[in-house]
Amino acid sequence: MKNISKILTILSFVFLFACQQKENEPKKPKNIILLVSDGTGLSQISSAYFFKEEEPNYSRFENIGFIKTSSSQEDVTDSAAGATAFASGIKTYNGAVGVDADSTSVPTIVELVQDRKIRTGVVATSSIQHATPAAFYGHEVSRRFYENLTEDLYNSDIDYFAGGGLRFFTKRKDSVDLTKKLEEKGFYINTKELVGVDQMNGKSKAGFLLAETAMPKMQEDRGDFLPNATQLGIDFLNNEKGFFLMVEGSQIDWGGHANDASYAIAELIDFDNVIGKALDFAKKDGNTLVIVTSDHETGGFTLSAKKKKREDGTEYSDYSEVDVTFSTGGHSATLIPVFAYGPGSEEFKGIYENNEIFHKIMKVTGWNSKK
């Protein structure tokens, strides 16, 4: 009897230890929402605190890090190389989409998770074939091969996309209408407007192409397309296996290139509203990791004191009023912030290379392990 009692006591300790160890294991996120604000550095983010009427959603993050953005051959990256780092975990040359520095194709996160039945989607305010969204489904030696990238999208297993770029589907050199081909493949396709999930005729895949090239600017009454397309993507993709959704605020970058502060800030505020949608879902869901970052900074955007003139014509800086200045019409090599919320978010603290975003996602989800 004493031996049996000892055995039961040992088994009890083993069971309790195993339970405690399991409780201490970090929770794995089921869903990943990656939000990319193209061309956005710390100063652009700071502008939301001066120009947005409500408290920016950036304030809701506790785990924050920084990435180094140089591409494989250049100190200053472009969007194609930057997005390929996020999508495939490798450094490549500027202009490359889903290919390595030697121009060989590399698998994207969208492709790597398909065998796990993880549903995937991309959203952008550019054409859907533009560098950042294309890096998650395409493989081309040049980001300018828009018609080829459209074919890559058709041939991919992506479940949801929304943005511009209709002309590369319907006005092609080969005269093939790829919207019709996608419908034959089982897609719900809409070229007029976003609709609810219940209006998609029970389709398991959906694409929204709402502009011939890029979507309109916020200043041209684009409205809530980006927040709404993000929410629709979440609703459409959400399932018991999990999903991966990449959303790009594309035109913050374009405002930076144009040295147009009003353009860039309006797009940044729109993107901050997207962050709110993602965080609201993640908070309620409890199994979703939200990551917010950018491929690079554009424009050398600076929040400076407003320059004014005295009565005698001399100039001075009025520290009571913020103005925006630019130092370049191109990209810069500044460190880029990374904000993370949800299970696994602690992994994104620190300073690291941009391609580590991919590896950290695969690590915290367990998507890099054998099934």
Side-chain angles (χ1 to χ4, degrees), residues 27 30-31 238 243 280-289:
K27 185 177 182 181
K30 184 179 75 170
N31 310 312
N238 193 21
F243 69 83
D280 288 348
F281 171 77
K283 183 177 181 180
K284 183 178 179 181
D285 177 68
N287 296 303
T288 299
L289 171 61

Side-chain angles (χ1 to χ4, degrees), residues 209-280:
L209 296 163
L210 306 187
E212 286 291 301
T213 53
M215 296 295 294
K217 302 176 182 179
M218 284 302 293
Q219 295 165 315
E220 296 170 347
D221 299 322
R222 187 173 72 232
D224 292 331
F225 163 77
L226 194 58
N228 290 345
T230 301
Q231 186 63 61
L232 178 58
I234 292 170
D235 295 340
F236 184 70
L237 296 172
N238 193 21
N239 71 103
E240 63 180 21
K241 293 286 187 179
F243 69 83
F244 172 84
L245 177 64
M246 192 290 299
V247 180
E248 183 196 30
S250 318
Q251 298 188 37
I252 306 165
D253 174 64
W254 302 352
H257 279 298
N259 285 184
D260 186 333
S262 296
Y263 184 8
I265 292 169
E267 297 293 330
L268 187 281
I269 290 173
D270 181 51
F271 182 79
D272 186 71
N273 292 333
V274 173
I275 295 173
K277 292 283 188 183
L279 290 179
D280 288 348

Side-chain angles (χ1 to χ4, degrees), residues 27-38:
K27 185 177 182 181
K28 292 181 179 179
K30 184 179 75 170
N31 310 312
I32 298 291
I33 302 175
L34 175 61
L35 306 179
V36 180
S37 51
D38 199 318

Side-chain angles (χ1 to χ4, degrees), residues 20 66 93 131 169 183 202 221 283 292 305 338 341 351 358:
Q20 187 176 9
F66 287 90
Y93 60 90
F169 286 83
E183 287 176 335
D221 299 322
K283 183 177 181 180
V292 180
V338 182
Y341 174 93
I351 299 175
F358 168 89

Side-chain angles (χ1 to χ4, degrees), residues 96-300:
V97 176
V99 299
D100 210 332
D102 62 2
S103 299
T104 58
S105 292
V106 288
T108 72
I109 192 168
V110 167
E111 295 162 342
L112 290 168
V113 303
Q114 63 191 34
D115 289 342
R116 295 177 175 271
K117 308 299 181 186
I118 305 296
R119 287 168 59 75
T120 56
V122 293
V123 179
T125 55
S126 62
S127 66
I128 207 67
Q129 304 87 348
H130 216 258
T132 301
F136 288 85
Y137 62 78
H139 304 279
E140 301 295 337
V141 295
S142 172
R143 60 183 288 178
R144 305 298 176 190
F145 294 171
Y146 297 123
E147 290 197 0
N148 290 1
L149 288 165
T150 307
E151 289 183 61
D152 290 346
L153 176 59
Y154 169 76
N155 290 321
S156 76
D157 284 318
I158 207 155
D159 298 293
Y160 171 82
F161 62 87
L166 177 61
R167 64 171 293 184
F168 302 113
F169 286 83
T170 60
K171 298 176 181 178
R172 300 171 54 81
K173 292 176 184 176
D174 59 15
S175 301
V176 175
D177 186 340
L178 283 178
T179 61
K180 300 299 183 187
K181 299 284 283 184
L182 281 169
E183 287 176 335
E184 292 171 7
K185 199 176 177 181
F187 270 80
Y188 170 86
I189 298 293
N190 194 314
T191 61
K192 302 296 182 184
E193 62 183 352
L194 296 174
V195 299
V197 174
D198 58 349
Q199 296 174 267
M200 295 185 196
N201 305 322
K203 300 287 188 180
S204 62
K205 293 178 179 285
F208 295 86
L209 296 163
L210 306 187
E212 286 291 301
T213 53
M215 296 295 294
K217 302 176 182 179
M218 284 302 293
Q219 295 165 315
E220 296 170 347
D221 299 322
R222 187 173 72 232
D224 292 331
F225 163 77
L226 194 58
N228 290 345
T230 301
Q231 186 63 61
L232 178 58
I234 292 170
D235 295 340
F236 184 70
L237 296 172
N238 193 21
N239 71 103
E240 63 180 21
K241 293 286 187 179
F243 69 83
F244 172 84
L245 177 64
M246 192 290 299
V247 180
E248 183 196 30
S250 318
Q251 298 188 37
I252 306 165
D253 174 64
W254 302 352
H257 279 298
N259 285 184
D260 186 333
S262 296
Y263 184 8
I265 292 169
E267 297 293 330
L268 187 281
I269 290 173
D270 181 51
F271 182 79
D272 186 71
N273 292 333
V274 173
I275 295 173
K277 292 283 188 183
L279 290 179
D280 288 348
F281 171 77
K283 183 177 181 180
K284 183 178 179 181
D285 177 68
N287 296 303
T288 299
L289 171 61
V290 178
I291 306 154
V292 180
T293 191
S294 177
D295 42 10
H296 55 76
E297 191 276 339
T298 302

Side-chain angles (χ1 to χ4, degrees), residues 308-332:
K308 293 184 178 179
K309 287 189 176 181
R310 301 181 179 89
E311 290 183 4
D312 62 4
T314 58
E315 194 176 71
Y316 71 100
S317 297
D318 184 351
Y319 278 36
S320 67
E321 193 172 349
V322 167
D323 198 6
V324 175
T325 56
F326 295 89
S327 65
T328 179
H331 301 169
S332 69

